[in-house]
Amino acid sequence: MESLYLAIPLASLMGAIIAGFFGGYIGRKGAHTATILGVGTSFVLALLALNHHVFNGAEAYNATVYTWMISEGMRFEVGFLIDNLTVMMMAVVTGVSLAVHVYTIGYMADDEHNWPNDSLAGTNSYQRFFSYISLFTFSMLMLVMSNNFLQLFFGWEAVGLVSYLLIGFWSVRPTAVYANMKAFLVNRVGDFGFILGIAAIVMYTGSLDYYEVFGKAGGLSSQTMSIFSGVEWNVISVICILLFIGAMGKSAQVPLHVWLPDSMEGPTPISALIHAATMVTAGIFMVSRMSPMFEYSDAALSFVMVTGAITAFTMGLIGVVQNDIKRVVAYSTLSQLGYMTVALGASAYSVAIFHLMTHAFFKALLFLAAGSVIIAMHHEQDMRKMGGLKKYLPITYWTSLVGSLALIGFPGTSGFFSKDSIIEVVHHSSLYGHELAYYAVLGGVFITAFYSFRMFFMVFHGQERMDQHTKEHLHETPWVVTGPLIALAIPSVIIGAMTVKTMVFGSYFGNSIFISESHNALAEFSHGFHGVWGFVEHGFKGPALYLAALGVISAWWMYIKQPGSADFFAKKFSWLHKLLENKYYIDDFNAWAFGGGSRGLGDRLWKVGDIAVIDGFFVNGSARVVGWFAGVARKVQTGLLYHYAFAMIIGVLALLTMFVIL
Amino acid sequence: MFADWPLLSLTVWVPILGGIAVLLSGDKGDAAGVRRLALVIAVITFILSLGLYTGFNTGTAEMQFVERHEWISAFNIFYHFGIDGISMPLIILTTFTTILVIVAAWEVIQKKPAQYLAAFLIMEGLMVGVFAALDSIFFYVFWEGMLVPMFILIGVWGGERRVYATIKFFIYTFIGSVFMLVALIYMYYQGGSFAILDMHAMKLTMNEQLWIFIAFLMAFAVKVPMWPVHTWLPDAHVEAPTGGSVILAAIMLKIGGYGFLRFSLPITPDASHTLDWLIITMSLIAVVYIGFVALVQKDMKKLVAYSSIAHMGFVTLGLFIVFQIWENPANSDGSGAILAVEGAMVQMISHGFISGAMFLMIGVLYDRMHTRNIQDYGGVVNTMPIFAAFAVFFSMANAGLPGTSGFVGEFMVIIASFHANFWYAFLAATTLILGAAYTLWMVKRVFYGEVVNDGVRALKDLNQREFVIMFTLALAVLAMGLWPAPVVDVMHATIENLLQHIAVTKI
């Protein structure tokens, strides 16, 4: 198995290298063939690994690939930990990635139109795009397969790099290159916490290896450390909160969420792959992987839960007022990531991962469907210029409907099982902040249903608001686009019912997830589980289903039945509308406080500190000397090297003589 | 085959004598022949220095490849060479970088190429001498000597304000080194030897140590440079020709860090201990303060120069944090000190590659556009896509991305400083944000976006020669980021020995 595990990420990397460095020679076809073969190989091998561990019940595999370095006896390694949690992530990552690869053939087919005529940056952009998404797949695999914190951080930053490259893929667009820098910097704020967390782990456990660190986690929960003098903090809480700050960056939790909506500047396939299905869930995966640590800190778990709840609710609300089709889906992603985070806080790691998986399918589907609409509309993204697309794009329409229903948790779809589990689990939690979290996720259900179907109705139903030219050219997108839609629609419906029993209530995760006995929300919830049908039936008894229905009906009423009513409400609650349109003014605040603030500070330090004080005051003290020197220097500067060399030799001799005489 | 050769002498004298040969061959004749000769000498020197790596015994902290001859016997001054795990990697860095600098000058330097190339070769020999010398006066001769070619480089091939920059550079460094010389002579009168290793073993009172420490600090802090004696560096860089900037950033700054390791810590361990707060404070100010200053620079070279100062802050932080790591009661087993010093060493070598690459890149743009103002650029990716790809790569390395060498040292020092104090690690880790901010903002303004003017529109992408330089450096940065073990392994024995030595008081 060992070489097979190694082959999984390397197959994707090979594709990336071939398409990236030799894209000019092998052409478009060569590039997409190479990368799809690479990722396809990764996918098939990942399924083999899944089969090996899940169905054949193989033991967890934990081994070193190579030793990066050894310092002070501590080993810094690259290695794999493959267990049921890992194989599931590997299958999801490679599966969605493969679908996106195929889809990209259609989406990027006429990418040359996205570049200025005389720009060489557009040369081989198609091949480069494939190279990047394969490189991303490699990085993400290394992240999830890691058995230590060093490699985790490697993967963590590597996916950030590829995200940077892809958001700014159309590097001549000012908005795109602003968004990618913003994404990288905001993620760096998270990584700032993350690296401190890793440093704390090294200090208190002397190791970077997961198993070794987990083994010592219990002992750390009784230790304290002092950050501000006089205040003692629990070591494990400090570590977990620092690590979670990293997760807040990568998984876009408030207040580090600001980069994700802007990341929509990138081409749609990567919005689906990176900014919906996989990379942004790295934080969720990480916390689940670290469950043996988080379980020892109620403070950290509460922090996680409240952060998630705030994200789930407030970000969903912004989605209600967006008019750009991709941004609606982006805010929906933020909100759903909040749901997963809430589940983590409730110690229901398996539920979080379960929602991660179902969400990966239906959100990738929704993004790719949005992309299909965008292709058909000739790169128009404003929903106010769409409408009535149902008859032109039948496959996109039906698959979108499937995706939307899964997202709002229509009974029986995959999203229903995962979202209901989260709501129920939070209901059973007794951690500080669980009431807030419960009402937030419940309220979120209504909001989700409303914005999802607002988008659905605005795009596919009602009046056709596009111009005549666009309308004449409207037709369903090619099979490379619709094929992946269908491929993703199937799991969006069935995967929940198929796996809920083993993943949420069963022993699927075995030893990969640890839950302390005092955190029994999931256990209590499990008592009420009597099979898949029972779960669906139970859904009809809870408030969530009715809230979702109310959301859909409200959307229908406001955008189909009474199309003018949306404007009426926007005017009536203009303060709220304005607040949401401006995204709670967080971007403005950041631009003012951090962007402007640090530039102002830098300017002040430079002009006052360096120029006025150090150079002006101290160095100017010797300025007269300098002036005198300059006068002398001007005379001796003949520009001929042997004069200087001569002077140099004289100088050395003089120096030596000085010693001899001394 | 190298086993019996006096490799260190060869690595010092081959480039110096070769440089003189290049100089004598003159600028009147065949410029191409002169360039080839210079390149051959640099390559031979590099191959000779590789012998130092292959023949190096990583199992011992003793000096290796030792050569010792009488020189000025009246004062016990010896022609004394020898290397250990600290100096060997820095010597190879020197010989490696010199090749790149010579190739980078190829058709760019039209004004007196023979003299230009000779200056680099002579400087190479002198810098290797600095790292290899084990007699402190011998060291001092190289230390002062290497500045002369650098003054000439800036003074002759420099920019408009080159005289100002040269004088500033000269005064700063000269004042610093004079104090060091006084300290060395003082120790000679006390101990009767100029040998550095004798000075390591020499007993010194606290008072003596403090004075000597401060004298060394004056010399080395200027060289690193540490805040607040850093203001000569941006000026020197701005005026220096590309090759001069590369050598300055990649190697000369390291001599300051090397000095702390070779002189300050082992000779004055008690003073280093007592005054470590001063160095730590100056280092952390360098990381944070300079990070903000770098953000607002308008000249690319100044920006990278400031970024160098911030990165070198990690070197001094790693070196002087060891005492607090040992003393932190929360760090019960006292671990982390080796990590700190090795991190500082790795940071020096990595910074050699990355800053060298950054300055070479600015050189590539400057050769074409004759401006370094960020404002004069924009959308370079449209005309120089291959160059832009390298630029993004090296910028990411500069921002410490894992997988590049820039990550390794910073990671080690941040982790180690956590062992001393949470807040040290906190302030040091701000480089993750600040480093990315100033580097990527520059990338955004220079490379991305639409073509802003006709100058950018007319740009031609890298030629073969430039491509080879960039590619070589990229490989080095990547290799060290993906597998730093070979670099770190050669240091273990020396650094462990050094730390054992400084843990014992000399009083």
Side-chain angles (χ1 to χ4, degrees):
Chain A
M1 281 318 268
E2 202 174 324
S3 48
L4 181 141
Y5 293 138
L6 194 57
I8 294 173
L10 289 186
S12 293
L13 180 64
M14 278 308 294
I17 290 173
I18 293 171
F21 289 126
F22 307 102
Y25 302 104
I26 58 177
R28 287 185 160 203
K29 200 154 175 238
H32 70 231
T33 314
T35 50
I36 288 175
L37 270 179
V39 173
T41 310
S42 297
F43 178 57
V44 172
L45 296 180
L47 289 183
L48 284 178
L50 182 87
N51 180 54
H52 181 63
H53 284 273
V54 176
F55 298 105
N56 298 344
E59 287 284 300
Y61 170 89
N62 181 24
T64 304
V65 175
Y66 75 92
T67 303
W68 191 66
M69 83 177 182
I70 299 176
S71 179
E72 206 159 0
M74 196 170 74
R75 306 179 72 85
F76 296 73
E77 296 179 326
V78 170
F80 293 152
L81 168 60
I82 315 282
D83 59 9
N84 281 7
L85 174 61
T86 317
V87 288
M88 197 224 77
M89 288 298 293
M90 285 157 63
V92 170
V93 169
T94 52
V96 176
S97 176
L98 182 62
V100 167
H101 271 75
V102 174
Y103 177 91
T104 300
I105 298 175
Y107 193 86
M108 298 301 273
D110 44 32
D111 189 48
E112 59 270 17
H113 299 307
N114 292 314
W115 301 89
N117 281 333
D118 55 348
S119 167
L120 297 176
T123 320
N124 300 332
S125 66
Y126 181 88
Q127 289 92 316
R128 195 164 70 241
F129 190 85
F130 274 94
S131 170
Y132 287 170
I133 51 181
S134 280
L135 181 65
F136 168 78
T137 313
F138 164 76
S139 310
M140 190 71 198
L141 284 169
M142 291 304 278
L143 189 162
V144 299
M145 292 168 78
S146 169
N147 73 347
N148 66 77
F149 287 92
L150 175 76
Q151 188 184 334
L152 175 71
F153 194 71
F154 260 75
W156 197 261
E157 290 250 311
V159 291
L161 167 74
V162 189
S163 166
Y164 169 83
L165 294 173
L166 282 167
I167 296 171
F169 184 76
W170 288 315
S171 52
V172 294
R173 296 185 185 172
T175 46
V177 296
Y178 173 75
N180 75 341
M181 185 176 75
K182 179 172 169 184
F184 198 87
L185 292 183
V186 174
N187 269 292
R188 270 294 172 97
V189 175
D191 295 351
F192 168 77
F194 201 55
I195 204 168
L196 290 177
I198 294 175
I201 288 169
V202 172
M203 173 168 165
Y204 286 98
T205 69
S207 175
L208 287 162
D209 182 81
Y210 286 166
Y211 280 172
E212 270 185 52
V213 172
F214 295 164
K216 292 177 181 165
L220 293 184
S221 59
S222 53
Q223 282 189 46
T224 58
M225 62 186 284
S226 163
I227 291 178
F228 300 98
S229 66
V231 190
E232 291 293 314
W233 300 52
N234 189 299
V235 170
I236 197 86
S237 293
V238 172
I239 291 177
C240 289
I241 288 174
L242 286 172
L243 291 178
F244 181 67
I245 290 172
M248 286 167 71
K250 201 61 65 193
S251 291
Q253 298 295 301
V254 176
L256 299 184
H257 65 283
V258 288
W259 64 273
L260 186 64
D262 286 13
S263 78
M264 296 301 127
E265 291 295 336
T268 305
I270 64 118
S271 306
L273 176 63
I274 301 184
H275 304 121
T278 56
M279 183 187 86
V280 289
T281 60
I284 311 299
F285 164 78
M286 189 270 286
V287 176
S288 305
R289 179 54 92 200
M290 304 305 150
S291 61
M293 304 174 76
F294 278 82
E295 279 302 292
Y296 286 105
S297 172
D298 282 2
L301 286 174
S302 279
F303 181 63
V304 171
M305 188 192 274
V306 171
T307 308
I310 293 171
T311 307
F313 188 78
T314 57
M315 293 300 116
L317 270 184
I318 298 181
V320 169
V321 300
Q322 295 297 314
N323 288 318
D324 180 311
I325 182 167
K326 278 182 77 180
R327 293 208 175 229
V328 178
V329 192
Y331 279 103
S332 155
T333 305
L334 281 170
S335 168
Q336 295 305 308
L337 288 167
Y339 273 88
M340 296 175 211
T341 307
V342 168
L344 295 173
S347 293
Y349 306 97
S350 58
V351 176
I353 294 287
F354 181 52
H355 193 54
L356 182 164
M357 178 187 71
T358 60
H359 176 259
F361 291 114
F362 64 70
K363 189 53 64 68
L365 167 61
L366 282 171
F367 259 120
L368 296 187
S372 173
V373 170
I374 293 169
I375 301 174
M377 295 289 299
H378 292 280
H379 293 270
E380 176 59 70
Q381 310 200 117
D382 191 336
M383 298 192 297
R384 286 169 297 191
K385 294 181 186 155
M386 299 178 186
L389 290 180
K390 179 184 172 187
K391 66 175 183 220
Y392 303 105
L393 306 169
I395 303 177
T396 308
Y397 172 80
W398 286 107
T399 48
S400 288
L401 181 62
V402 168
S404 302
L405 288 175
L407 171 62
I408 69 165
F410 186 80
T413 60
S414 62
F416 164 78
F417 291 101
S418 54
K419 189 176 288 182
D420 244 32
S421 301
I422 292 176
I423 295 166
E424 285 298 318
V425 146
V426 175
H427 197 49
H428 285 99
S429 172
S430 53
L431 224 54
Y432 178 80
H434 73 275
E435 292 103 337
L436 171 83
Y438 180 65
Y439 290 112
V441 292
L442 214 50
V445 172
F446 170 78
I447 298 167
T448 308
F450 182 79
Y451 68 65
S452 299
F453 275 83
R454 169 178 173 268
M455 174 176 84
F456 185 75
F457 291 135
M458 279 178 84
V459 172
F460 292 108
H461 291 273
Q463 248 181 343
E464 298 177 8
R465 298 180 293 273
M466 66 293 279
D467 58 45
Q468 198 55 38
H469 176 78
T470 313
K471 196 189 276 186
E472 279 164 14
H473 290 85
L474 269 176
H475 58 80
E476 184 62 280
T477 43
W479 71 267
V480 284
V481 173
T482 52
L485 294 183
I486 297 167
L488 287 166
I490 297 166
S492 297
V493 179
I494 61 170
I495 196 111
M498 275 168 60
T499 57
V500 64
K501 193 171 162 203
T502 50
M503 275 186 71
V504 175
F505 304 107
S507 57
Y508 176 86
F509 289 109
N511 295 329
S512 17
I513 285 172
F514 165 76
I515 299 177
S516 151
E517 280 175 18
S518 59
H519 301 143
N520 52 2
L522 181 62
E524 274 183 32
F525 171 46
S526 302
H527 287 313
F529 178 74
H530 305 292
V532 173
W533 281 115
F535 195 114
V536 177
E537 238 179 81
H538 184 81
F540 283 91
K541 293 178 192 147
L545 189 59
Y546 301 102
L547 283 168
L550 193 64
V552 177
I553 293 165
S554 313
W556 172 79
W557 190 80
M558 279 173 73
Y559 291 91
I560 300 295
K561 188 80 181 18
Q562 298 287 339
S565 61
D567 286 337
F568 170 78
F569 283 113
K571 283 203 186 78
K572 180 107 182 168
F573 300 100
S574 63
W575 64 271
L576 179 65
H577 192 255
K578 212 168 154 213
L579 184 69
L580 293 178
E581 269 203 323
N582 289 292
K583 300 164 280 186
Y584 309 110
Y585 297 96
I586 296 174
D587 275 339
D588 302 78
F589 175 78
N590 287 344
W592 173 76
F594 299 113
S598 49
R599 280 200 302 275
L601 180 63
D603 210 47
R604 200 56 63 81
L605 289 175
W606 182 39
K607 288 189 177 138
V608 176
D610 268 30
I611 295 176
V613 177
I614 297 175
D615 268 1
F617 186 76
F618 289 103
V619 182
N620 261 8
S622 45
R624 272 174 292 270
V625 186
V626 173
W628 177 79
F629 253 110
V632 178
R634 216 167 285 130
K635 290 197 188 81
V636 296
Q637 277 193 343
T638 55
L640 290 174
L641 194 54
Y642 54 85
H643 286 182
Y644 298 125
F646 181 68
M648 168 184 156
I649 292 161
I650 297 281
V652 172
L653 285 179
L655 204 71
L656 290 174
T657 327
M658 197 169 84
F659 285 121
V660 179
I661 293 165
L662 274 171
Chain B
M1 74 181 231
F2 296 127
D4 309 324
W5 299 11
L7 269 184
L8 285 171
S9 283
L10 285 172
T11 318
V12 171
W13 293 110
V14 165
I16 293 180
L17 296 175
I20 291 173
V22 169
L23 189 62
L24 292 178
S25 68
D27 280 323
K28 304 240 160 55
D30 169 27
V34 166
R35 289 187 195 112
R36 271 197 294 275
L37 177 65
L39 181 60
V40 168
I41 294 164
V43 171
I44 291 175
T45 313
F46 177 64
I47 293 172
L48 287 168
S49 71
L50 284 183
L52 301 172
Y53 180 80
T54 53
F56 192 82
N57 177 5
T58 55
T60 174
E62 297 289 310
M63 288 296 167
Q64 307 183 30
F65 299 96
V66 175
E67 298 167 31
R68 188 161 180 267
H69 309 285
E70 279 197 11
W71 185 26
I72 305 173
S73 43
F75 292 93
N76 246 340
I77 298 174
F78 285 83
Y79 177 100
H80 190 178
F81 282 136
I83 52 166
D84 59 4
I86 297 170
S87 41
M88 190 269 282
L90 292 166
I91 289 176
I92 294 180
L93 178 69
T94 309
T95 55
F96 173 77
T97 311
T98 303
I99 298 181
L100 296 182
V101 166
I102 285 175
V103 178
W106 214 250
E107 70 254 358
V108 176
I109 300 294
Q110 292 295 344
K111 179 180 170 188
K112 304 187 184 100
Q115 299 188 19
Y116 182 85
L117 297 170
F120 278 106
L121 288 173
I122 294 171
M123 192 156 54
E124 176 187 15
L126 295 170
M127 290 186 301
V128 173
V130 168
F131 292 125
L134 289 181
D135 181 287
S136 55
I137 294 303
F138 198 35
F139 167 86
Y140 189 81
V141 170
F142 286 117
W143 164 279
E144 291 290 5
M146 79 184 175
L147 296 177
V148 179
M150 186 52 95
F151 295 144
I152 294 172
L153 277 171
I154 300 178
V156 176
W157 288 271
E160 277 167 22
R161 299 202 328 142
R162 56 180 184 261
V163 175
Y164 170 77
T166 316
I167 303 275
K168 197 170 177 184
F169 177 37
F170 179 77
I171 289 183
Y172 255 115
T173 47
F174 183 72
I175 291 175
S177 6
V178 164
F179 286 99
M180 175 171 72
L181 184 62
V182 172
L184 296 176
I185 293 171
Y186 176 82
M187 280 188 283
Y188 170 71
Y189 279 113
Q190 296 300 310
S193 167
F194 277 118
I196 297 173
L197 294 183
D198 289 342
M199 291 176 175
H200 286 190
M202 193 177 164
K203 288 274 176 213
L204 288 165
T205 67
M206 187 54 136
N207 204 27
E208 286 172 320
Q209 284 195 36
L210 285 175
W211 283 108
I212 295 170
F213 180 85
I214 288 169
F216 282 142
L217 180 62
M218 303 270 253
F220 302 140
V222 167
K223 209 48 128 230
V224 166
M226 298 179 76
W227 181 90
V229 288
H230 62 279
T231 58
W232 64 271
L233 186 74
D235 284 320
H237 269 308
V238 165
E239 300 308 323
T242 302
S245 279
V246 173
I247 293 294
L248 190 59
I251 305 170
M252 285 213 173
L253 306 190
K254 310 305 174 301
I255 289 171
Y258 173 77
F260 282 121
L261 269 167
R262 184 65 83 218
F263 290 88
S264 303
L265 282 167
I267 294 176
T268 60
D270 301 292
S272 304
H273 188 172
T274 310
L275 292 177
D276 64 349
W277 59 271
L278 177 69
I279 309 283
I280 292 171
T281 311
M282 284 160 70
S283 308
L284 290 172
I285 291 176
V287 173
V288 180
Y289 170 114
I290 299 294
F292 280 109
V293 173
L295 197 61
V296 295
Q297 295 306 310
K298 299 174 180 75
D299 180 308
M300 284 190 269
K301 258 194 168 177
K302 271 200 174 170
L303 195 154
V304 179
Y306 275 108
S307 136
S308 284
I309 302 168
H311 283 119
M312 290 303 286
F314 275 87
V315 175
T316 45
L317 178 66
L319 295 181
F320 282 89
I321 207 149
V322 291
F323 302 101
Q324 299 206 15
I325 290 176
W326 284 330
E327 284 176 350
N328 183 6
N331 184 29
S332 47
D333 60 351
S335 64
I338 296 177
L339 196 64
V341 178
E342 290 185 349
M345 271 300 295
V346 169
Q347 175 78 353
M348 284 207 265
I349 295 163
S350 154
H351 181 257
F353 294 139
I354 297 170
S355 66
M358 295 297 278
F359 282 116
L360 283 167
M361 287 196 313
I362 296 169
V364 165
L365 284 176
Y366 186 79
D367 292 342
R368 289 162 170 74
M369 297 267 289
H370 301 287
T371 168
R372 289 180 309 261
N373 278 332
I374 295 175
Q375 239 187 341
D376 296 335
Y377 291 90
V380 172
V381 66
N382 293 298
T383 44
M384 303 179 74
I386 296 173
F387 177 59
F390 280 114
V392 171
F393 175 79
F394 288 121
S395 300
M396 282 293 173
N398 199 44
L401 189 84
T404 67
S405 64
F407 167 73
V408 189
E410 285 181 13
F411 182 67
M412 292 166 84
V413 173
I414 289 172
I415 289 187
S417 50
F418 199 100
H419 289 66
N421 184 318
F422 173 85
W423 291 106
Y424 294 164
F426 182 92
L427 290 171
T430 55
T431 194
L432 254 69
I433 305 164
L434 288 171
Y438 59 68
T439 318
L440 295 185
W441 194 31
M442 177 175 79
V443 169
K444 172 178 177 282
R445 287 177 291 169
V446 172
F447 290 96
Y448 291 150
E450 301 228 23
V451 172
V452 288
N453 56 40
D454 289 338
V456 173
R457 189 164 291 116
L459 285 175
K460 291 270 172 294
D461 212 336
L462 296 181
N463 61 33
Q464 228 168 6
R465 181 181 54 80
E466 291 164 331
F467 182 86
V468 169
I469 299 173
M470 293 292 157
F471 189 73
T472 313
L473 274 168
L475 276 187
V477 167
L478 203 60
M480 198 172 149
L482 292 177
W483 196 38
V487 180
V488 181
D489 285 344
V490 299
M491 304 170 188
H492 287 319
T494 307
I495 286 174
E496 276 169 33
N497 181 57
L498 173 80
L499 286 174
Q500 278 164 13
H501 175 78
I502 65 173
V504 180
T505 176
K506 273 191 156 188
I507 301 170

